[in-house]
Amino acid sequence: MEQNRHIRLGHGSGGKLTHDLVTGLFLKYFDNEILAQQGDSGLFSLYPEDASGSTTETAGNGMPAATRQTHSPTGRMAMSTDAYVVDPIFFPGGNIGSLAISGTVNDLAVTGADPRYLTAAFILEEGFSIDQLEEIVSEMARVAKEAGVRIIAGDTKVVNKGKCDKVFITTAGVGFLEDRLAHIAGGERVRPGDRILINGYAGDHGIAILGERESLTFRSPVLSDADCLNGLIRDITQNHDVHFMRDATRGGVATVLAELAALSKRPGAHKMGISVDETAIPVREEVRGICEVFGYDPLYMANEGKVVAVVPGDQTDAVLERMRRHPLGKDAAIIGTVVEDHPGKVVLQTEIGGRRMLDMLAGEQLPRIC
Amino acid sequence: MEQNRHIRLGHGSGGKLTHDLVTGLFLKYFDNEILAQQGDSGLFSLYPEDASGSTTETAGNGMPAATRQTHSPTGRMAMSTDAYVVDPIFFPGGNIGSLAISGTVNDLAVTGADPRYLTAAFILEEGFSIDQLEEIVSEMARVAKEAGVRIIAGDTKVVNKGKCDKVFITTAGVGFLEDRLAHIAGGERVRPGDRILINGYAGDHGIAILGERESLTFRSPVLSDADCLNGLIRDITQNHDVHFMRDATRGGVATVLAELAALSKRPGAHKMGISVDETAIPVREEVRGICEVFGYDPLYMANEGKVVAVVPGDQTDAVLERMRRHPLGKDAAIIGTVVEDHPGKVVLQTEIGGRRMLDMLAGEQLPRIC
C-alpha cells in the first residue's frame, strides 16, 4: 500500500478510486448519517423535530398536482457541492461556468429537490484574462436564470501564476424538498419490476471535451450535453412516481447503474440486480466511433445533462412519453429493468447477444472532464 | 484600462481590487437583491411568503433567552462559501482544513445565523500525500464537531501535477437565522452612539502565515487565531442587542471598519462616520514588531477568529464583559464609536495623538493568506 499513499488522477475519476477515498477517508472522519447516505446531495430539515418517520408520504400526497405545495412543512432541504476543473475551460456546448451551474442544479434535482440558491467560489490564476472571466460569469448568470436559481454568495481567490490552471469554480446549492419526494435520494422503494430510463444520448460531454483537447473534427459536431435538468425532472416527479434518480456525470451511465445495483446491499433492501440492454442505450454514431478509436467505452464516458431514473413498471410508458415531450428528453429511452436475479450486480445484454458485467469505473478514463 | 484586463494578485486580497471585481463583474451578472447585500452570507427564507416586512422583531423577542426558539418560523436561513488556497497548508495554529471550516462557520455566525450544515469540495494535485490529506481532513472533522456543524456533502477533483498547488478546499455552509437577528447582516440599525468592539488581538493569522513562509523565529510563537466564533457570538446575540457584526479576515480590521463606514452611504441610512482609537486595538508586541520590519500595517493583517461587533452604547460594557468570559474573547476591547462626524469615513486617532483616515486595503498585502 505504501507506494500508493499519494493522490492519483483516478482519485478524481468518480469511479472506484474516488469511492475508496470517500469511504476510507471522508466518511471515516466526517462521520454522520447524512453524508453516509452518499447521495448526490445531503438532506436535512429545518425543523427536524417535526420530521421523524418522515419518508412516509404525508403532506402533499394525494393532492392534485396543481395545488401541491412546492415546499415542505418540515423544512426539508437538500444541499450539494461540486468543484469544476474542466480543461479546456471553453468547449463545444458550454464552458466551465455553465457546467458549474448545471452540475450543482442537477445534483439537487436528482434527489427530488427544487434547486433554489447557489454559491460560487472562484480560484483564479494570476494573469488570467478578465474578458474570459466575464464570458464565464455571464454564461453562469444565463444558465442560472434559465434554471430559476439565484447565486446568493460568492468568493474570489487569486493564486500566483503557475499555481493553478486559469480558473477553478466550486458551486454549492440548496434546494427545497417536498416530503413526499424524500425517499428518492436513498432509493429505498426500488424493487424488482421497476424499469430504468435515461433522458437521451450517453457520452456526449466526454467526447466534446476529448474532441476539443485533441482537435478532432466530426462530421456533425458533438456538443456537451451540459444542461440543467430540474425542469425535466419536475415534470416527472410532479406527475409520476419515481423510485430513484441519479445524474450520470464522471464515471458515466455505467457507474450510476453500478451504484443503483449497490443499493441492494443496504440493510433491509430488496435483493435485486440490474439488467441492461446495451442496444437500448442511446449513443451517437460519432461518440461510438471516437470511443472505438481511443479505446473508450461510451457507457463510462462523462455526461452533464443525463439523468438515470427508476420508475415503477406500470408507469414506464407514461414517464417515457413525458420525458420525450421535454426538449431535454426527446431522445429518452428505456434501458433496463430491476430484476430478482444476480443481486447487487449489473448485467449488460450486449449487441452481439452476449452478457457482460458492468462495474464502477476503475482508474481514470479522462482527467479533468468536469 | 486595457493593460489591466488580467487578474492580479490584488483581485484576491479582499480589499479594493476584490471589491471592484465583485461590483464590476459578479454583481453585474449575478444580479439579485440577496447578493447585492454583500454580506458575509446570503440570506433567504424557506417560506418567503410569510416573511414580508420580516426584519421587525417578532418571534422570540421579549421571550426569556432560555426559551427563545433557535430557528425561524419563516424558515430564514443564511448561506455562505469560501475557497481556501492558503500557502503553506500547515501553519502554527492550524491548517488549510481547520481554516476552511472556521472561515465558513464564522461567515454564517457574523450574520447572526446558527451554522449547521457544511459542504466541502477538494481540488487535489496529482502526487499529493494522502497522509497529509488525512491530517487535514481529521482536523476539519475535529473543528466541525467542536463547532456543532456537520459536513453533509462533498466532492473531490484531481488535477495533473503542476496544475494546482497541493490542495485547495472550498466550503459552503447554511445556518438557521432567527427572525429577530435578521437585521444584523445589513446593519440597518447602526447609528451614532453605538460602540465598536473586537474580541481580541488583531493580525495574528497574517503574521503566523508570514512567519512560517519566511521561517521567522519569535520570542513567543504567534499562532493563527483560526477558530470558530459561533459559540462566542451566540453568547452575545442571545443576551444583548447587536447592530452589526463582521469577521475581519483578508483585508484586516481596517477593511471591516471601512465597510462599516460605507453602510452610511446606503439609501435611508443614518449619516455617520467611524471613529477608532488606535491604541485601543489589541495588537501583540511580536505582530507589531514583524509588521514594522516588513512595512505592513497590523490593521490590514488577516485574522481568522476575530469579530468586529457594533452594539448600542448602553450595552457596551455588558457585551465586553460577556465577550471576556468566553475563551475566544478574553482579550476583547472597545475600539471605537459610531459618530455623526465625517460620514462614510473611518478616522483613526493615532498613538502619537494625530488623526489618519483608514480605507480599504489597496493592492495585495500578503497573497494566499487564506
Side-chain angles (χ1 to χ4, degrees):
Chain A
M1 271 301 283
E2 275 312 302
Q3 75 279 19
N4 290 329
R5 292 293 291 177
H6 290 90
I7 292 293
R8 293 190 278 157
L9 285 171
H11 282 114
S13 67
K16 178 76 172 61
L17 280 173
T18 306
H19 185 257
D20 292 348
L21 194 65
V22 168
T23 52
L25 190 60
F26 297 118
L27 290 183
K28 175 179 162 191
Y29 288 102
F30 303 155
D31 178 32
N32 66 69
E33 70 274 21
I34 301 175
L35 189 65
Q37 292 288 322
Q38 292 192 65
D40 280 307
S41 305
L43 306 187
F44 66 90
S45 286
L46 192 54
Y47 311 118
E49 62 271 35
D50 308 324
S52 54
S54 47
T55 58
T56 55
E57 292 177 79
T58 48
N61 192 34
M63 295 166 68
T67 63
R68 270 178 191 150
Q69 54 196 58
T70 58
H71 55 62
S72 151
T74 54
R76 200 183 287 277
M77 302 185 78
M79 187 173 189
S80 187
T81 190
D82 265 330
Y84 295 87
V85 298
V86 65
D87 171 40
I89 54 175
F90 296 95
F91 48 81
N95 66 41
I96 188 172
S98 54
L99 208 58
I101 300 297
S102 61
T104 290
V105 163
N106 292 347
D107 278 343
L108 294 168
V110 294
T111 62
D114 179 17
R116 294 291 185 94
Y117 298 107
L118 264 56
T119 61
F122 295 78
I123 299 174
L124 303 169
E125 185 183 13
E126 182 188 12
F128 182 60
S129 155
I130 293 182
D131 291 338
Q132 290 198 349
L133 181 61
E134 181 155 9
E135 194 175 338
I136 290 165
V137 169
S138 71
E139 185 67 2
M140 290 175 81
R142 188 191 65 76
V143 174
K145 188 172 183 186
E146 208 173 278
V149 297
R150 294 200 283 177
I151 297 158
I152 62 166
D155 186 41
T156 313
K157 295 284 155 61
V158 180
V159 298
N160 312 66
K161 198 161 179 62
K163 296 297 182 186
C164 82
D165 192 8
K166 298 182 193 74
V167 53
F168 301 148
I169 303 174
T170 298
T171 48
V174 293
F176 301 167
L177 180 59
E178 289 181 70
D179 289 343
R180 65 179 190 88
L181 300 177
H183 64 89
I184 291 176
E188 57 250 41
R189 294 193 192 163
V190 176
R191 64 205 58 201
D194 286 355
R195 303 299 304 274
I196 305 162
L197 295 92
I198 190 167
N199 64 311
Y201 289 101
D204 288 2
H205 177 74
I207 294 301
I209 297 291
L210 179 68
E212 189 69 13
R213 271 189 212 163
E214 306 285 339
S215 304
L216 305 178
T217 47
F218 300 97
R219 265 166 303 178
S220 55
V222 177
L223 304 183
S224 166
D225 59 345
D227 230 319
C228 292
L229 296 171
N230 53 327
L232 170 71
I233 287 172
R234 192 168 45 234
D235 276 2
I236 302 166
T237 57
Q238 294 301 316
N239 293 286
H240 307 280
D241 283 347
V242 174
H243 286 169
F244 182 75
M245 282 187 290
R246 190 154 285 183
D247 57 334
T249 54
R250 288 181 293 180
V253 172
T255 297
V256 171
L257 294 171
E259 290 167 351
L260 174 59
L263 291 180
S264 166
K265 294 168 186 159
R266 293 196 183 179
H270 288 269
K271 289 290 161 246
M272 57 203 176
I274 304 300
S275 174
V276 174
D277 177 3
E278 185 170 24
T279 60
I281 302 174
V283 178
R284 291 181 204 280
E285 268 315 303
E286 295 83 354
V287 170
R288 200 180 299 279
I290 297 294
C291 280
E292 271 171 22
V293 171
F294 283 82
Y296 292 136
D297 182 340
L299 299 191
Y300 289 97
M301 273 281 148
N303 310 274
E304 288 292 342
K306 290 296 152 2
V307 57
V308 173
V310 179
V311 305
D314 60 4
Q315 298 197 28
T316 313
D317 292 338
V319 173
L320 180 68
E321 198 187 317
R322 190 166 304 268
M323 271 189 175
R324 287 182 171 168
R325 283 209 296 263
H326 193 283
L328 298 179
K330 63 185 169 49
D331 302 304
I334 303 163
I335 63 171
T337 309
V338 180
V339 296
E340 289 183 344
D341 293 345
H342 49 80
K345 293 187 166 45
V346 182
V347 173
L348 194 72
Q349 319 292 325
T350 65
E351 285 182 272
I352 54 169
R355 288 157 57 102
R356 68 172 167 115
M357 298 261 299
L358 274 188
D359 209 341
M360 278 188 199
L361 176 61
E364 175 76 43
Q365 193 158 28
L366 276 177
R368 296 183 62 186
I369 199 74
C370 61
Chain B
M1 271 301 282
E2 276 310 304
Q3 75 279 18
N4 290 329
R5 292 293 291 175
H6 290 92
I7 292 294
R8 293 190 279 156
L9 285 172
H11 282 114
S13 69
K16 179 79 172 57
L17 281 173
T18 306
H19 181 82
D20 292 349
L21 194 67
V22 168
T23 53
L25 190 60
F26 297 118
L27 289 183
K28 175 179 163 192
Y29 289 102
F30 303 155
D31 178 32
N32 66 70
E33 70 275 20
I34 301 175
L35 190 64
Q37 293 288 323
Q38 292 191 65
D40 281 306
S41 306
L43 306 187
F44 65 89
S45 286
L46 192 54
Y47 312 118
E49 62 269 38
D50 309 322
S52 54
S54 47
T55 59
T56 54
E57 293 178 77
T58 48
N61 193 34
M63 296 165 68
T67 63
R68 270 178 189 150
Q69 57 196 56
T70 58
H71 55 60
S72 150
T74 54
R76 199 182 287 278
M77 301 186 77
M79 188 173 187
S80 187
T81 191
D82 265 330
Y84 295 87
V85 299
V86 65
D87 172 39
I89 54 175
F90 297 95
F91 49 82
N95 66 42
I96 189 173
S98 54
L99 207 59
I101 301 297
S102 62
T104 290
V105 163
N106 292 346
D107 278 343
L108 295 168
V110 295
T111 61
D114 179 17
R116 294 292 186 94
Y117 298 107
L118 264 58
T119 62
F122 295 78
I123 300 174
L124 303 170
E125 185 182 14
E126 182 188 11
F128 182 60
S129 156
I130 292 181
D131 291 338
Q132 290 198 350
L133 181 61
E134 181 154 8
E135 193 175 339
I136 289 165
V137 169
S138 71
E139 185 66 2
M140 292 175 80
R142 189 191 65 76
V143 174
K145 189 173 181 184
E146 207 172 279
V149 298
R150 293 201 283 179
I151 298 158
I152 62 166
D155 186 41
T156 313
K157 294 284 156 61
V158 180
V159 297
N160 311 65
K161 197 159 181 61
K163 294 297 181 187
C164 83
D165 192 7
K166 299 182 193 77
V167 52
F168 301 149
I169 304 174
T170 298
T171 48
V174 293
F176 301 167
L177 179 59
E178 289 182 68
D179 289 343
R180 65 179 189 87
L181 300 177
H183 64 90
I184 291 176
E188 58 251 40
R189 293 192 194 163
V190 176
R191 66 206 56 205
D194 286 355
R195 303 299 304 275
I196 305 163
L197 296 91
I198 191 167
N199 63 311
Y201 290 101
D204 288 0
H205 178 73
I207 294 301
I209 297 291
L210 180 67
E212 189 70 11
R213 271 188 212 164
E214 305 286 339
S215 305
L216 304 179
T217 47
F218 300 96
R219 264 168 303 177
S220 54
V222 176
L223 305 182
S224 166
D225 59 345
D227 230 318
C228 292
L229 296 171
N230 54 326
L232 169 72
I233 288 172
R234 192 167 45 233
D235 275 1
I236 301 166
T237 56
Q238 293 302 313
N239 293 286
H240 307 280
D241 283 347
V242 174
H243 286 170
F244 183 74
M245 283 187 290
R246 191 153 286 183
D247 58 333
T249 54
R250 290 181 292 179
V253 172
T255 298
V256 171
L257 293 171
E259 289 167 350
L260 174 59
L263 291 180
S264 166
K265 294 168 187 160
R266 295 195 181 179
H270 289 267
K271 290 289 163 245
M272 57 202 175
I274 305 300
S275 174
V276 174
D277 177 2
E278 185 170 25
T279 60
I281 302 175
V283 178
R284 290 181 204 280
E285 269 315 303
E286 296 82 355
V287 170
R288 200 180 298 279
I290 298 293
C291 279
E292 271 171 23
V293 171
F294 283 82
Y296 292 136
D297 182 339
L299 299 190
Y300 289 97
M301 272 283 147
N303 311 273
E304 288 292 342
K306 290 297 156 348
V307 56
V308 173
V310 179
V311 304
D314 60 4
Q315 299 197 26
T316 313
D317 292 337
V319 173
L320 181 68
E321 197 186 316
R322 191 168 302 271
M323 272 190 175
R324 287 183 171 168
R325 283 209 295 265
H326 193 283
L328 297 178
K330 62 186 169 51
D331 302 305
I334 303 163
I335 63 171
T337 309
V338 180
V339 296
E340 289 183 346
D341 293 346
H342 49 77
K345 294 188 166 47
V346 182
V347 173
L348 194 71
Q349 320 292 325
T350 65
E351 284 182 273
I352 54 169
R355 289 157 57 102
R356 67 173 168 116
M357 298 261 299
L358 274 188
D359 208 341
M360 277 189 203
L361 176 61
E364 174 76 41
Q365 194 158 25
L366 276 176
R368 295 183 65 187
I369 199 74
C370 59

